[in-house]
Amino acid sequence: MPAHDDADMGHQGVGEQRVQLVAVDDGTVATAGDGRAGDGESGVVVTGLSSTPGGPSSRANSRPLGQDNPVPHSPVPVRLDRSRGVPLGVQLSGQIRELVLAGTLARGDRLPSTRSLATDLGVARSVTEQAYDQLLAEGWLETRRGAGTFVASGGGAALAAPARRRTPSPGRDLVWLDAGTPWIDPRHAAGWRRAWREVSTARPPRGYDDPRGLPELRAALADHVARTRGLAVDPDELVVTHGTTDGLRHVLAALPPGPVALEDPGYRAAVETVRGSGRGVVDLPATAPVTDLAGVVAAYLTPAHQHPLGRVMPATDRLSALAAARAAGAVLLEDDYDSEFRYDVAPVPALATLDRSRVAYLGTASKSVAPSLRLGWLVPPPDLLEPINERRRITHDAAPWPVQRAFVSLLREGYVDKVVRTARRVYAERAPRVAAALSPYAELAGPLAGMYSTWLLPAAEARRARNSARAAGYGVNLLADYCRSSDLTGLVVGFGGCTDEQLEEALAALVRPLG
């Protein structure tokens, strides 16, 4: 809550919640006692409003709204039915009582005045007065002088309506040293803000977006992949997606039926995406060359930086995988997720540069800008481009326009290049620190690159190290969690989504049971 709004709370107090009852008419609503025949129902939607300063209270106790806006909660239906033969006041009191019992109306929630509620319902005020009086007598409601009517904070309501609780997510409070959270230098925040200010002044499209993505973004991305990955494509050959797994889904939908081969150990989200499409999964040993793809329609690979072992696919293995794909008539799905972050040598060109007809190239902004941006790009083989675009056109499947528009600015103004260069320097400094801490106890699985490193350890020792880190407040993934048929064990230690101090604490906790 903004501090400067606190003074506007008046007598309502910080932390109270008001409840607004809004009438929704499904038919003719007769006011009680007016002599008209009721041939329909009156419905009431109960909407909880958070303790927003200046938000609307009941009409009897209202004050000018000013510039503050309420924050509505989800509506909960309450209906008064004249055809039931039950007095309307009894119906209203019963349904409010049920909402309190269910916890939908929580202790301290404010109800509208009897006058405004009667107006909203289209009934006589005596109906709402009768309902409130009954609930006040039973202890479900209470009045506060000069403030209004509230769900009681004591008595029956306190016994019947437990406080609403949220179930915490497992590991929610841990600082995760995972393989996917990048380091974003806060010194570049001004470029981020400028991009979103530009979005706020741009005119959005009148209809559905181009399913391929904004033309100016596709042009900027085509230039980006040509400059950084050596992949020369026309903007019309590139498709903007929600990220890597979204691009994978689109390619899978355009392929003929059949299983898909994936690296083992490998990217868990890709495995679940393939399974979710109804296709079988065939394990490809991540440490061996791909020589035979018979019987599969595609193979998912991370050649620039194998996930999670970290090895770079040698040139001979790239040629072997392409030969196997041609022989089987399969497509290679190239996940180029963090190729920008080589700090020992220049990034290896994309596999797709060797054969565009056999490789679907998947790129993402998750590792360079932010995973929550949910933006990526796909360069499919030419024969799959039109089926993918047609399906996206029919389903209106496009990345959100504001996100695309912002990313145009981030690319054009050099923000993406800046955060990548800064992060690369940070990773190059942190990776040796991780190696210095873990190398006396574990074996490095691949070259130092990217935002994480993987360490081979016996399973029992890996679990002890993981548990020690967790006890200190840090989450680290086990290598075994990425394996299906492989028996490799160890730790996958990320160093992007933490501070230098947190990394030191986590490393100390990891090695404590190993010494």
Side-chain angles (χ1 to χ4, degrees):
M1 181 183 298
H4 64 269
D5 288 337
D6 289 351
D8 293 337
M9 292 300 293
H11 58 259
Q12 296 174 33
V14 177
E16 292 176 355
Q17 288 193 332
R18 297 183 293 277
V19 175
Q20 184 181 35
L21 296 160
V22 183
V24 179
D25 295 343
D26 295 326
T28 303
V29 180
T31 302
D34 67 359
R36 290 185 294 162
D39 58 357
E41 296 178 359
S42 171
V44 181
V45 176
V46 181
T47 306
L49 298 180
S50 67
S51 52
T52 304
S57 63
S58 66
R59 298 182 186 179
N61 298 294
S62 63
R63 51 188 171 80
L65 290 175
Q67 73 275 18
D68 298 317
N69 295 317
V71 180
H73 290 179
S74 300
V76 180
V78 174
R79 312 190 71 82
L80 300 184
D81 184 357
R82 295 178 181 276
S83 65
R84 287 178 53 194
V86 177
L88 297 180
V90 175
Q91 291 185 43
L92 181 58
S93 63
Q95 292 184 49
I96 293 176
R97 186 185 301 111
E98 291 173 0
L99 291 172
V100 175
L101 283 167
T104 305
L105 294 181
R107 306 170 195 175
D109 279 356
R110 182 176 182 175
L111 275 67
S113 68
T114 56
R115 185 187 303 277
S116 64
L117 177 55
T119 300
D120 289 338
L121 291 175
V123 298
R125 187 178 180 185
S126 60
V127 171
T128 55
E129 288 178 338
Q130 175 192 348
Y132 278 26
D133 287 345
Q134 181 64 36
L135 295 170
L136 286 165
E138 296 176 7
W140 299 106
L141 304 182
E142 63 184 12
T143 58
R144 302 177 191 173
R145 184 176 180 82
T149 304
F150 296 80
V151 176
S153 57
L159 294 174
R164 286 175 249 182
R165 298 178 180 176
R166 292 183 303 172
T167 302
S169 300
R172 178 173 183 156
D173 296 327
L174 297 175
V175 175
W176 275 94
L177 276 64
D178 59 23
T181 304
W183 167 259
I184 303 297
D185 195 321
R187 292 176 298 178
H188 301 314
W192 175 267
R193 291 193 295 269
R194 280 195 302 271
W196 289 100
R197 280 198 299 269
E198 187 172 315
V199 172
S200 71
T201 61
R203 183 186 296 274
R206 295 183 60 186
Y208 289 105
D209 298 344
D210 187 330
R212 300 171 298 174
L214 294 180
E216 55 266 47
L217 177 56
R218 287 187 284 112
L221 286 172
D223 175 73
H224 178 74
V225 299
R227 178 168 49 87
T228 63
R229 305 300 297 124
L231 182 59
V233 297
D234 187 274
D236 287 341
E237 297 176 305
L238 185 147
V239 179
V240 179
T241 67
H242 296 285
T244 299
T245 53
D246 182 56
L248 173 59
R249 275 190 289 268
H250 290 306
V251 177
L252 292 175
L255 290 174
V260 175
L262 295 100
E263 296 167 324
D264 178 37
Y267 186 33
R268 293 175 290 183
V271 175
E272 292 307 313
T273 300
V274 171
R275 287 173 174 163
S277 71
R279 296 177 183 269
V281 169
V282 176
D283 294 344
L284 284 178
T287 56
V290 178
T291 58
D292 184 7
L293 292 176
V296 302
V297 296
Y300 190 93
L301 306 174
T302 50
H305 188 212
Q306 200 281 326
H307 183 80
L309 297 182
R311 69 188 288 267
V312 178
M313 183 179 287
T316 54
D317 289 2
R318 291 170 180 246
L319 296 175
S320 172
L322 284 168
R326 295 187 193 105
V331 172
L332 299 182
L333 304 160
E334 179 182 13
D335 180 354
D336 202 38
Y337 70 100
D338 77 343
S339 57
E340 308 99 321
F341 299 118
R342 290 296 301 268
Y343 31 83
D344 51 352
V345 296
V348 179
L351 176 64
T353 61
L354 299 178
D355 190 344
R356 283 281 316 283
S357 68
R358 279 292 144 204
V359 181
Y361 176 83
L362 300 162
T364 179
S366 294
K367 306 303 181 288
S368 57
V369 179
S372 56
L373 201 62
R374 307 310 306 144
L375 192 75
W377 44 95
L378 161 67
V379 181
D383 62 324
L384 297 182
L385 178 62
E386 188 53 37
I388 289 172
N389 285 337
E390 179 62 13
R391 182 174 181 272
R392 287 167 61 92
R393 184 188 67 79
I394 293 172
T395 59
H396 304 301
D397 193 346
W401 173 82
V403 174
Q404 294 191 61
R405 189 68 186 78
F407 204 66
V408 171
S409 177
L410 295 174
L411 286 168
R412 185 184 62 235
E413 301 299 326
Y415 174 89
V416 175
D417 289 338
K418 290 176 184 177
V419 296
V420 167
R421 284 196 301 269
T422 304
R424 188 187 295 126
R425 288 195 296 268
V426 171
Y427 301 153
E429 189 275 330
R430 289 181 176 178
R433 290 162 56 191
V434 176
L438 292 176
S439 57
Y441 314 100
E443 177 187 352
L444 183 63
L448 289 176
M451 62 188 71
Y452 70 94
S453 55
T454 299
W455 297 86
L456 304 179
L457 272 170
E461 294 183 19
R463 286 193 296 270
R464 284 200 301 270
R466 187 272 310 271
N467 294 341
S468 176
R470 181 178 289 269
Y474 297 95
V476 176
N477 287 315
L478 295 175
L479 174 57
D481 293 337
Y482 297 82
C483 299
R484 300 182 299 281
S485 56
S486 171
D487 59 0
L488 292 175
T489 59
L491 297 169
V492 180
V493 182
F495 40 82
C498 60
T499 65
D500 287 333
E501 293 76 14
Q502 289 171 336
L503 179 60
E504 289 301 321
E505 290 180 1
L507 291 174
L510 280 172
V511 302
R512 192 172 297 126
L514 302 178

